[in-house]
């Protein structure tokens, strides 16, 4: 079975005075663009089977704005995670899950896409290397179980910035 991993950076956040980074909410633009991201994911990949989401406020609000309806695991470790930590979390996914969405932060999300993708010279990889803005989405496919994913085992098929 082909597995699809959708890696999404949180939407544009606001910067209210006195609010710690972890607790920053989405800005109005972030809400709108996260909604567009959810539409794009649904139109291109259909239903998402499961979601891994950082526990930070802006990632939770991003997920809500996508309107994606799937079982969610909120994982504190994704906040500030390295690619290796994100891959470790993804590897715990049950193999009944065909499409997994991970909502997290930069630089972890874009670096994870580049780490897992086998085609580092692909158009998607080049675009990710240039910039991975808020609400951006990288999509990889795998022909292995989730527990076997690792460096270069996925095909980086899409990069999309919803605007």
């Amino acid at each position: 079975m082909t597995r699809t991993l959708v890696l999404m950076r949180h939407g544009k956040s606001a910067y209210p005075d006195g609010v710690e980074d972890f607790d920053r909410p989405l800005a109005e633009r972030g809400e709108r663009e996260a909604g567009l991201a959810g539409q794009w994911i649904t139109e291109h990949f259909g239903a998402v089977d499961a979601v891994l989401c950082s526990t930070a406020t802006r990632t939770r609000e991003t997920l809500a704005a996508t309107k994606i309806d799937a079982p969610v695991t909120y994982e504190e470790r994704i906040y500030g995670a390295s690619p290796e930590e994100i891959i470790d979390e993804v590897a715990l996914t049950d193999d009944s899950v065909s499409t997994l969405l991970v909502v997290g932060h930069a630089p972890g999300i874009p670096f994870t896409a580049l780490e897992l993708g086998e085609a580092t010279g692909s158009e998607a990889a080049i675009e990710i290397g240039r910039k991975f803005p808020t609400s951006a989405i990288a999509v990889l496919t795998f022909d292995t179980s989730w527990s076997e994913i690792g460096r270069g085992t996925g095909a980086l098929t899409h990069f999309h910035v919803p605007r």
Side-chain angles (χ1 to χ4, degrees):
M1 170 193 327
T2 298
R3 287 169 179 43
T4 302
L5 177 61
V6 181
L7 298 169
M8 180 178 179
R9 183 177 175 198
H10 63 78
K12 178 73 176 164
S13 59
Y15 292 87
D17 288 338
V19 175
E20 296 292 322
D21 181 74
F22 186 86
D23 297 319
R24 284 190 292 127
L26 284 184
E28 186 177 314
R29 178 180 130 197
E31 292 250 357
R32 181 179 56 78
E33 291 173 354
L36 293 172
Q39 290 173 2
W40 186 87
I41 291 166
T42 302
E43 288 170 8
H44 287 81
F45 302 99
V48 169
D49 301 311
V51 179
L52 279 173
C53 184
S54 162
T55 54
T57 300
R58 61 190 177 275
T59 51
R60 288 172 167 267
E61 290 180 356
T62 296
L63 178 58
T66 67
K67 305 232 184 305
I68 289 175
D69 185 23
V72 181
T73 301
Y74 293 101
E75 179 54 56
E76 187 173 350
R77 185 176 180 200
I78 294 173
Y79 177 76
S82 68
E84 293 78 19
E85 291 168 321
I86 293 171
I87 293 167
D88 287 349
E89 288 300 322
V90 170
L92 298 173
T93 303
D94 188 274
D95 281 333
S96 65
V97 172
S98 174
T99 302
L100 175 67
L101 169 64
V102 179
V103 183
H105 310 266
I109 290 294
F111 288 173
T112 299
L114 295 173
E115 179 82 11
L116 290 172
E118 64 185 18
T120 56
S122 72
E123 184 178 329
I126 292 167
E127 290 299 314
I128 290 168
R130 285 186 189 134
K131 187 171 184 183
F132 202 100
T134 54
S135 294
I137 303 160
V139 181
L140 297 105
T141 58
F142 300 87
D143 290 325
T144 63
S145 68
W146 292 114
S147 63
E148 295 173 329
I149 69 167
R151 181 180 207 154
T153 60
L156 184 55
T157 61
H158 295 81
F159 177 63
H160 178 71
V161 180
R163 298 284 188 251

